């Protein structure tokens, strides 16, 4: 045993893997490795049971309660409830217990239901049948019984039950096609490869006879990364080790396509699968409204504690004389008298309990309901529905609805977001000669074929040669797949007749356009068969190429290559990629002409790619092969090693030419950008594209206008001057504008606007923490200062991570602006996750962005309605909701506070228990909820027509401290009116016509009636949109209050131990002065708000208020 | 399938909207509600719309206010304090020599004169000051089911009544601090005829409590007409001189349904309060209920207020449709009406000034 461990260590050391901790060894078919190869260490893995549910039947109640009370608000209410239970408090525990119970129950039911659905889904998944190979035969079991090491057979159109290493497939080239639509939304077929040594296994027996182990990393969530190694043991032979990569790993959730069946070995099961690891909840984003709500809450909490403290202190100073404390008519009990010490503390707690309604439980519920229900309006909006995609907007989180109305910075991707990402082959240039096709469009081949026009048709042998090579390169160097209509034996017949019965699928639309372009030129057509490519040239002369290696595209290298062997036995490396990544590696070819053409095309807004080749000598090829396989075999740092290998191989190119593909602007992109600008948002375009292309797009999309002065902060410029000087130059240019802008802000600002262009390299220089930290911080500040004064910024040549960096930089700047990132591709995910609001476009580059976003929309143009209309609405709705809630509870509780001064600070509640309990739950809850769901203070059309209205709600203006103070003061004023109004009505006089007197409960009921009516009517005054629902809910609430009060006071309730409310309400209504008093007090408390509204509207109306009255004069 | 099931796996408060799966490939309904296009009335509070409202409110409120004020002024009210804090006060001796153990009531008489006759029914109130009937400990110190005639509660008073629930094991009926401290001064009113004879004015004690209280909320225990038997086994409240079944000789006004008791049990809202004591019915249309002249108020002084610096008053008042004398409502109506009217005028001016300016020199933004 000891020896084997030692040997194990040695062998590992020899292979060179020192850090071997995070790996697992899988024994295929649970067979022990032959003695001497590896120590057989049985590892325990979870079974293939998927558990997405949180609770079981047993732990639901404790766990759910624990989860719920972990929230501060719930915990606070629980605390109040417990205090009420323990000490002798003025209000019965029911008053806070019932709402809390209600909230907790509703939440628990909702969560329980969701969990039940999850259980059901889990069950159906866990019990779906799976074919496992055991003892050379197919055995059908249930999915959750799968174990790591089992060999699984999957048939066509089945989803993989766990993460599998592909051993063999029914296709004789050992590949299989898979769609990962349910994982990342990419519907294209991806090719996966079987382990070369096992791909020959066809029958179950053969597969079962395999004796091998797989060593691989422990599960990690990255879908596209996998490193492992398979050791195959054969009798009397050295074990063979083969590298395994992501191309061998079939992921759970993906579906097998175009392949009859495959055999695979389970390596990650159950909750270890990459899919399960990927569905962990994302970090929560909190909206600005929520933050200010919490700030307000703290103020109210302080107010609550302050009130309780004041009352406690006053109580004890008042009680100093014993005739106040214990007059003869009102003695304490003996037990109570003995509790000297804790009495003060319990008094304080009792006051807290009495006033605790100032922070209502129902606010949280209402806010959550508002967000949850409100988000449906976004998903329901037909304006944001796209017919082509068949999809409307999608809401992934409802927490950020109102944040859409607060956006200050918009970061947008270019390709696929601003542009269609629908590529059109425009031209190609071979050695400076330009070729233009007639009619080609992405996805389909249009009218009858006609050959290319050669604008420059100077003949020449060299040219001809390069032309051939160029088209061969286009046809060979790609990862496009043919979607086959009918799989005969891998060849599709349709295209031979020139009919477009099949189409190409690729993750990159550029490639599709290029391949189609190449085909359409009849330059070539390829068929993939096994590992060789067949290439047909003009006149059906076919050349056979064997595909040896594919050096895949990645966004860092920005190029991809293939190594092929021609039928003549010549090894060729074709490479295509961005000019910046190809041209430096070119040693021959007509670089200057091509570069000129490329730049010219880029200025026109076309996407350009350079194509180059390199002829590999056998020695070179051997070297390349060696490096590639070494890198591929590595378990550690495989990516890095591959990079190095690629870097070594892709050099010494001969330039062939360049292609130009047009990416059309999205519909109404310019209009949207213009609107966003007018709404006061700063739009930044972050793209990986080259500067010239990006600038052209920016002009086309009106991000830059002709009047915009462009400031450049690019590598080209920083090469001439130092970064320092450039930055200072720019900031000096920009500064004067600031003064002018401030000065002119009253009038419409017509001052020079600036646009900044920065590229990735310069950006990293600016952001790079220099050796002297002060200096770099300085750059950062200056850069931010410049950006702040530019209406539009274009960042080109950005790596995905740099996009997130920029967003982070702006987020962290001293104004803490609200940022929004919008993009469609996987490269935008980091930025979408970083920004306050992330919006995904359901584009062509898969669904990754949409899946990671907070909201997903079909097209860029929908952003306009999303922000200007929905964002604006949700913001004013939630702002009113929050302010109103605080207001109505100040109105509610402050009279109780005032009453303490007249009842000897004895914590006597002013209102009856039922009123205390139901005030927030039923009397005043529905109107504000409905308001916050359907209020529209301006029409949708006005908001769309006049984007500047967005400025009215910018910077959280409806939830700033002055507004909050206004609402609070209004609440205090109203509360004083209620209390003192009723006080003077009651003060030592009768107000019935039969001379009978009213008691304290009538006093409270009178105040409460005025309160309910005032608070509801205040909302009615704020409502600008009176649909039948509003009418129903507002008048219904008031009616409900009256009916409830009549009922509550109309019966001797047998289960209550007090009947204090008996006939109180009716007696009150039978008195004329009470009616007059109620009307007077309601009028008086609504008066200041109405006056303030009217005065503000008349004296200094906001743009929104003007827009409400009538359309703005069209003189803009 | 899995993806959507996982979507729901969110933290609390992080509400997942499972619309992605369901709406997919389905155009949202084009209904007025879903598209937020419900037909609606869209009022806007502009100076133009509010102005008339202000004038209307002003025009309605001011007359109401004047009416209320005049009505209030026409009400006759006479108040006399008989606490006896001053050495010259007739009741000074009684207030000083007060003791719970006194078996003989201390009586005192106060003379006063009415300058104006009281024409309609006169309501006689007693008033207490600095008496916290709204103190929490006091308010809750009662047992409503006992008062409603529940036999169980009669024998086992609620613990809310502590420390007035039991008197040496015997349950107190009615229990609690409120009942225990029931006002027990007896007030008699005499008209001193100019010829010197004293004529006792008949005081009615009917209808001084709410009808519902007397007939529904308060009930004597059992259906036993013999109240002495019904209250068998209970003790009288400590401070009471008589048990509850001896409050009155009238069968209909005895026990828990004694109206004085019911009136007292309705706790007042504020520490200075008045409670209806008796009603002086108008005899006929010819003579005023209380003619101008001299009167004597005879008090049997049982209720101590000196210990908590309280005051005791007697109030004679006529009542109009709007109750007793209270100028507040009238003044408030007049004030609010005038303020509305004034604001209306101010708004009119502002509206005129700004309205025209806005129209002419509106700078487009």
């Amino acid at each position: 045993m000891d020896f084997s461990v030692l040997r194990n260590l040695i062998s590992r050391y020899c292979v060179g893997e020192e850090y071997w901790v995070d790996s697992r060894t899988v024994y295929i078919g649970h067979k022990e490795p032959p003695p001497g190869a590896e120590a057989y260490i049985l590892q325990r893995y979870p079974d293939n049971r998927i558990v997405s549910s949180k609770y079981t039947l047993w732990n639901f109640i404790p766990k759910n309660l624990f989860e719920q009370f972990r929230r501060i608000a719930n915990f606070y209410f629980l605390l109040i409830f417990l205090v009420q239970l323990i000490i002798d408090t003025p209000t019965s525990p029911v008053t806070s217990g019932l709402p809390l119970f209600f909230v907790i129950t509703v939440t628990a039911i909702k969560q329980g239901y969701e969990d039940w659905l999850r259980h059901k889904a889990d069950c159906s998944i866990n019990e779906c049948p799976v074919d496992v190979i055991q003892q050379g035969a197919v055995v059908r079991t249930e999915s959750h019984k799968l174990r790591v090491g089992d060999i699984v057979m999957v048939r066509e159109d089945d989803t993989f039950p766990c993460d599998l290493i592909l051993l063999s497939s029914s296709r004789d080239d050992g590949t299989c096609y898979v769609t990962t639509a349910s994982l990342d939304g990419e519907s294209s077929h991806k090719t996966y490869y079987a382990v070369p040594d096992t791909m020959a296994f066809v029958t179950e027996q053969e597969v079962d006879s395999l004796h091998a182990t797989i060593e691989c990393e422990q599960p990690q969530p990255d879908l596209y990364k996998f490193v492992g190694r398979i050791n195959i043991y054969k009798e009397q032979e050295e074990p063979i080790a083969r590298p395994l990569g992501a191309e061998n790993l079939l992921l759970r959730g993906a579906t097998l396509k175009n392949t009859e069946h495959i055999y695979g070995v389970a390596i990650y099961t159950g909750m270890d699968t990459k899919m399960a690891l990927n569905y962990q909840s994302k970090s929560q984003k909190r909206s600005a409204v929520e933050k200010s709500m919490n700030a307000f809450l703290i103020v109210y909490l302080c107010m609550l504690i302050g009130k309780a403290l004041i009352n406690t202190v006053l109580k004890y100073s008042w009680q100093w004389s014993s005739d106040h404390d214990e007059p003869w008519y009102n003695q304490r009990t003996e037990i109570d008298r003995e509790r000297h010490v804790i009495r003060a503390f319990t008094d304080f707690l009792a006051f807290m309990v009495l006033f605790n309604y100032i922070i209502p439980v129902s606010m949280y519920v209402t806010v959550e309901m508002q967000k949850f229900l409100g988000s449906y309006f976004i998903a329901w909006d037909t304006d944001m529905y796209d017919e082509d995609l068949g999809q409307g907007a999608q809401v992934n989180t409802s927490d950020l609805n109102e944040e859409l109305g607060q956006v200050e910075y918009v970061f947008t991707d270019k390709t696929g977001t601003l542009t269609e990402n629908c590529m059109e082959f425009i031209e190609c240039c071979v050695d400076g000669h330009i070729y233009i096709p007639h009619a080609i469009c992405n996805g389909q081949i249009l009218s009858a074929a006609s050959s290319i026009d050669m604008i420059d048709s100077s003949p020449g042998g060299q040219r001809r040669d390069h032309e051939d090579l160029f088209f061969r390169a286009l046809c060979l160097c790609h990862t496009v797949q043919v979607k086959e209509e009918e799989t005969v034996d891998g060849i599709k017949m349709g295209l031979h007749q020139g009919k477009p019965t099949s189409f190409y699928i690729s993750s990159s639309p550029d490639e599709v356009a290029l391949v189609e372009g190449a085909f359409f030129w009849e330059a070539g057509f390829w068929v993939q068969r096994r590992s060789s490519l067949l290439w047909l040239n003009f006149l059906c002369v076919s050349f056979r190429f064997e595909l040896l290696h594919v050096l895949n595209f990645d966004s860092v290298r920005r190029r991809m290559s293939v190594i092929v062997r021609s039928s003549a036995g010549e090894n060729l490396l074709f490479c295509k990629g961005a000019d910046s990544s190809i041209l430096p590696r070119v040693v021959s070819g007509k670089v200057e002409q091509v570069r000129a053409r490329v730049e010219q095309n880029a200025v026109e807004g076309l996407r350009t790619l350079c194509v180059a080749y390199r002829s590999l000598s056998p020695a070179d090829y051997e070297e390349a092969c060696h490096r590639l396989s070494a890198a591929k075999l590595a378990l550690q740092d495989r990516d890095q090693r591959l990079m190095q290998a690629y870097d070594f191989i892709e050099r010494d190119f001969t330039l062939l030419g360049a292609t130009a593909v047009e990416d059309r602007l999205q519909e109404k992109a310019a209009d949207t950008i213009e609107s966003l600008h007018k709404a006061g948002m700063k739009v930044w375009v972050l793209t990986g594209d080259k500067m010239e292309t990006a600038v052209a797009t920016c002009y086309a999309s009106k991000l830059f206008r002709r009047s915009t002065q462009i400031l450049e902060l690019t590598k080209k410029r920083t090469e001439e001057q130092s970064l320092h000087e450039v930055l200072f130059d720019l900031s000096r240019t920009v500064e004067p504008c600031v003064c002018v802008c401030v000065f002119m802000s009253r009038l419409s600002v017509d001052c020079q606007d600036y646009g900044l262009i920065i590229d990735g390299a310069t950006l990293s220089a600016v952001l790079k923490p220099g050796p002297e930290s002060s200096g770099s911080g300085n750059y950062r500040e200056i850069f931010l200062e410049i950006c702040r004064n530019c209406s539009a910024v274009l960042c080109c040549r950005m790596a995905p991570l740099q996009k997130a960096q920029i967003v982070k930089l702006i987020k962290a700047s001293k104004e803490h602006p609200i940022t929004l990132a919008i993009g469609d591709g996987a490269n935008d995910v980091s930025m979408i996750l970083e920004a306050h609001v992330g919006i995904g476009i359901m584009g062509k580059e898969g669904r990754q962005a949409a899946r990671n976003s907070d909201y997903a929309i079909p097209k860029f143009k929908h952003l306009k309605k999303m922000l200007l209309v929905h964002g604006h609405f949700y913001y004013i709705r939630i702002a009113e909701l929050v302010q109103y809630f605080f207001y109505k509870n100040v109105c509610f509780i402050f009279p109780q506070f005032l009453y303490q001064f007249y009842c000897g600070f004895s914590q006597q509640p002013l209102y009856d228990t039922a009123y205390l309990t139901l005030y927030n739950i039923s009397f005043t809850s529905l109107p504000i909820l409905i308001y916050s769901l359907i209020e529209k203070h301006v029409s949708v059309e006005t908001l769309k027509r006049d984007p500047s209205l967005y400025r009215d709600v910018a910077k959280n203006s409806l939830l700033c401290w002055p507004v909050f103070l206004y609402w609070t003061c209004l609440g205090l004023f109203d509360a004083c009116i209620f209390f003192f109004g009723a006080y003077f009505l009651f003060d030592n006089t009768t107000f019935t016509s039969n001379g009978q007197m009213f008691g304290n409960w009538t006093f409270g009921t009178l105040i409460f009636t005025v309160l309910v009516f005032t608070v509801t009517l205040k909302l009615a005054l704020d409502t600008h949109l009176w649909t039948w629902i509003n009418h129903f809910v507002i008048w219904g609430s008031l009616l409900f209050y009256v009916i409830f009060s009549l009922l509550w006071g109309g019966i001797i309730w047998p289960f209550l131990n007090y009947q204090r409310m008996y006939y109180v309400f009716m007696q009150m209504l039978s008195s004329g002065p009470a009616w007059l008093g109620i009307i007077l007090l309601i009028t008086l408390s609504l008066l200041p708000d109405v006056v303030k509204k009217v005065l503000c509207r008349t004296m200094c109306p906001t743009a929104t208020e003007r827009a409400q009255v009538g359309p703005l004069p069209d003189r803009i | 399938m899995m993806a959507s099931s996982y979507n729901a796996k969110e933290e609390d408060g992080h509400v997942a909207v499972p619309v992605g799966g369901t709406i997919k490939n389905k155009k949202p309904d084009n209904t007025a509600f879903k598209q937020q296009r419900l037909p609606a009335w869209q009022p806007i509070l502009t100076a133009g719309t509010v102005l008339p409202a202000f004038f209307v409110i002003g025009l309605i409120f001011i007359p109401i206010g004047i009416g209320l004020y005049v009505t209030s002024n026409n009400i006759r009210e006479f108040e006399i304090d008989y606490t006896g804090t001053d050495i010259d006060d007739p009741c000074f001796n009684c207030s000083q020599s007060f003791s719970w153990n006194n078996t003989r009531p201390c009586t005192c008489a106060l003379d006063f004169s009415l300058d104006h006759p009281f024409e309609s029914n006169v309501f006689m109130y007693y008033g207490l000051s600095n008496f916290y009937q709204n103190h929490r400990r006091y308010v809750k110190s009662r047992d409503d089911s006992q008062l409603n005639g529940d036999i169980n509660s009669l024998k086992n008073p609620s613990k809310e009544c502590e420390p007035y629930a039991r008197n040496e094991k015997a349950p107190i009926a009615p229990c609690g601090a409120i009942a225990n401290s029931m006002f027990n001064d007896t007030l008699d009113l005499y008209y001193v005829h100019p010829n010197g004879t004293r004529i006792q004015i008949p005081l009615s004690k009917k209808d001084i409590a709410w009808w519902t209280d007397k007939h529904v909320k308060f009930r004597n225990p059992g259906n036993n007409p013999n109240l002495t038997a019904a209250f068998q086994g209970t003790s009288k409240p400590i401070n009471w001189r008589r048990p509850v079944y001896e409050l009155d000789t009238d069968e209909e006004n005895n026990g828990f349904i004694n109206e004085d008791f019911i009136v007292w049990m309705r706790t007042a809202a504020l520490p200075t309060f008045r409670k209806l004591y008796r009603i002086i019915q108008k005899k006929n249309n010819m003579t005023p209920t209380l003619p101008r002249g001299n009167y004597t108020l005879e008090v049997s002084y049982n209720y101590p207020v000196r210990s908590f610096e309280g005051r005791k008053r007697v109030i004679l008042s006529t009542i109009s449709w709007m109750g007793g004398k209270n100028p507040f409502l009238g003044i408030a109506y007049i004030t609010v009406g005038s303020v509305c009217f004034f604001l209306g005028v101010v708004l009119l001016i502002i509206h005129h000034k700004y309205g025209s300016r806005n129209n002419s020199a509106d700078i487009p933004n």
Side-chain angles (χ1 to χ4, degrees), chain A residues 949-1090:
Chain A
L949 296 181
Y950 195 81
R951 291 169 194 254
D952 276 4
V953 295
K955 300 217 184 286
N956 210 356
S957 62
L958 297 182
L959 286 173
C960 56
W961 289 105
V963 180
F964 171 70
L965 205 67
Y966 168 74
W967 278 87
T968 307
C969 288
L970 190 69
L972 292 177
F973 171 80
D974 286 355
C976 290
I977 294 283
F978 303 154
F979 183 79
F980 289 108
Y983 176 84
F984 284 117
L985 275 180
F986 264 74
D987 188 27
N988 199 21
T989 182
T990 323
F991 68 91
T992 52
S993 48
N994 59 7
Q996 292 167 357
M997 293 303 298
F998 287 152
N1000 63 325
W1001 298 115
T1002 314
F1003 183 68
T1005 306
L1006 181 80
I1007 293 180
F1008 193 78
T1009 308
V1010 177
L1011 165 74
V1012 168
F1013 274 79
T1014 306
V1015 160
T1016 310
L1017 291 178
K1018 155 81 181 145
L1019 188 69
L1021 284 177
D1022 285 353
T1023 306
H1024 293 101
L1025 188 86
W1026 283 84
T1027 63
W1028 64 267
I1029 307 178
N1030 294 81
H1031 282 289
F1032 178 76
V1033 159
I1034 287 185
W1035 311 126
S1037 284
L1038 294 179
L1039 197 67
F1040 174 74
Y1041 165 68
V1042 173
I1043 291 172
F1044 173 85
S1045 299
L1046 290 175
L1047 198 71
W1048 184 238
I1051 307 174
I1052 297 273
W1053 291 95
F1055 55 87
L1056 289 177
N1057 58 357
Y1058 54 84
Q1059 307 296 341
R1060 50 172 96 130
M1061 292 310 286
Y1062 186 66
Y1063 255 71
V1064 161
F1065 191 69
M1066 275 156 272
Q1067 284 283 348
M1068 185 184 81
L1069 292 190
S1070 70
S1071 129
W1075 282 86
L1076 287 174
I1078 290 170
I1079 292 169
L1080 175 83
L1081 294 183
I1082 293 172
T1083 317
L1084 189 57
S1085 39
L1086 290 177
L1087 200 60
D1089 192 49
V1090 173

Side-chain angles (χ1 to χ4, degrees), chain B residues 87-145:
Chain B
I87 197 131
D88 303 328
D89 289 340
C91 292
F92 180 72
N93 281 337
C94 286
S95 74
Q96 292 302 305
S97 64
F98 176 81
S99 146
W100 286 113
N101 301 328
N102 266 358
T103 43
R104 258 191 55 244
C106 170
T107 54
C108 51
L110 288 91
D111 296 327
F112 63 92
S113 64
L114 296 176
D115 300 335
H116 301 281
F118 284 39
E119 297 286 347
S120 56
N121 286 353
V122 176
F123 294 77
M124 185 174 176
Y125 297 91
Y126 59 87
L128 293 174
S129 308
N130 212 11
F131 188 101
Y132 283 84
Q133 249 204 332
N134 57 4
H135 195 281
R136 181 160 73 92
R137 209 174 333 125
Y138 188 84
V139 170
K140 68 175 185 175
S141 185
R142 64 193 286 164
D143 187 342
D144 276 337
S145 50

Side-chain angles (χ1 to χ4, degrees), chain A residues 344-362:
Chain A
F345 183 64
T346 53
D347 269 328
F348 172 74
L349 286 182
F351 278 119
M352 286 280 282
V353 167
L354 187 65
F355 303 140
N356 87 81
Y357 304 93
I358 203 162
I359 300 171
V361 198
S362 53

Side-chain angles (χ1 to χ4, degrees), chain A residues 141-154:
Chain A
T141 62
E142 287 176 346
S143 165
H144 65 93
K145 290 183 181 150
L146 268 185
R147 315 215 159 269
V148 169
D150 281 347
I151 298 173
V152 183
M153 185 174 100
V154 181

Side-chain angles (χ1 to χ4, degrees), chain A residues 560-578:
Chain A
M560 74 160 290
S561 313
V562 288
I563 300 175
V564 294
R565 180 177 291 151
S566 72
S567 47
E570 194 185 359
N571 292 326
L572 289 169
L573 178 128
F574 291 112
C575 180
K576 75 166 192 246

Side-chain angles (χ1 to χ4, degrees), chain B residues 96-339:
Chain B
Q96 292 302 305
S97 64
F98 176 81
S99 146
W100 286 113
N101 301 328
N102 266 358
T103 43
R104 258 191 55 244
C106 170
T107 54
C108 51
L110 288 91
D111 296 327
F112 63 92
S113 64
L114 296 176
D115 300 335
H116 301 281
F118 284 39
E119 297 286 347
S120 56
N121 286 353
V122 176
F123 294 77
M124 185 174 176
Y125 297 91
Y126 59 87
L128 293 174
S129 308
N130 212 11
F131 188 101
Y132 283 84
Q133 249 204 332
N134 57 4
H135 195 281
R136 181 160 73 92
R137 209 174 333 125
Y138 188 84
V139 170
K140 68 175 185 175
S141 185
R142 64 193 286 164
D143 187 342
D144 276 337
S145 50
Q146 189 191 47
L147 297 174
N148 197 29
D150 188 74
I151 301 286
N152 244 339
S153 306
L154 185 72
K155 303 291 180 205
N156 296 301
S158 149
K159 70 174 188 3
E160 300 285 358
C161 286
E162 295 287 350
Y164 304 98
R166 283 169 188 278
N167 184 13
E168 287 160 1
K169 299 269 168 81
I172 295 177
C175 74
I178 313 178
N180 184 59
S181 58
M182 183 177 154
F183 182 77
N184 56 358
D185 282 359
T186 315
L187 306 169
D188 288 308
L189 198 59
Y190 296 93
Y191 175 62
V192 183
H193 205 266
N195 63 15
T197 53
R198 294 203 325 176
I199 305 162
Q200 183 162 12
I201 295 170
L203 303 175
S204 155
K205 49 186 164 186
K206 251 183 93 61
D207 291 338
I208 57 172
W210 293 10
W211 189 92
T212 49
D213 279 4
K214 183 168 165 79
H215 292 92
V216 187
K217 194 173 163 183
F218 288 80
R219 251 186 249 159
N220 280 323
N223 293 320
N224 201 340
N226 183 358
L227 283 183
T228 322
F231 284 100
Q232 185 77 46
T234 61
S235 159
K236 71 172 175 62
I238 302 157
N239 289 350
W240 284 22
R241 284 162 205 249
R242 287 168 301 197
V244 66
Y245 46 85
E246 284 171 23
L247 279 178
D248 201 340
T249 49
D250 180 7
E251 198 68 11
E252 286 301 302
N253 195 28
N254 201 4
F256 288 155
I257 55 170
N258 179 279
E259 291 202 28
D260 283 325
F261 175 65
I262 295 172
V263 165
W264 181 256
M265 289 306 282
R266 183 155 295 281
T267 48
L270 298 166
T272 300
F273 60 90
R274 57 165 84 164
K275 283 183 184 292
L276 188 54
Y277 185 65
R278 294 290 182 262
I279 302 170
I280 307 166
Q281 298 287 352
K282 189 174 170 70
K283 282 184 280 286
N284 51 49
N285 282 333
M286 306 309 288
T287 52
T289 322
L290 292 181
R292 195 148 56 109
N294 293 327
Y295 292 84
T296 303
L297 176 73
E298 227 178 69
V299 181
S300 91
Y301 200 108
N302 299 320
Y303 204 73
V305 292
R306 213 166 64 92
S307 65
F308 53 88
E309 287 160 6
R311 311 284 275 175
K312 299 199 280 191
R313 294 160 295 146
V314 166
I315 303 115
L316 296 168
S317 169
T318 59
I319 293 283
S320 71
W321 62 271
M322 59 153 286
K325 199 177 185 74
N326 187 5
F328 166 74
L329 202 55
I331 294 172
Y333 259 93
I334 294 171
T335 317
V336 173
S338 320
V339 165

Side-chain angles (χ1 to χ4, degrees), chain A residues 264 367 393 404 433 472 504 511 640 694 848 919 974 1004:
Chain A
V367 165
L404 293 171
H433 308 291
R472 275 176 215 185
Y504 303 105
E511 287 196 332
Q640 220 175 319
Q848 244 184 334
Y919 176 71
D974 286 355

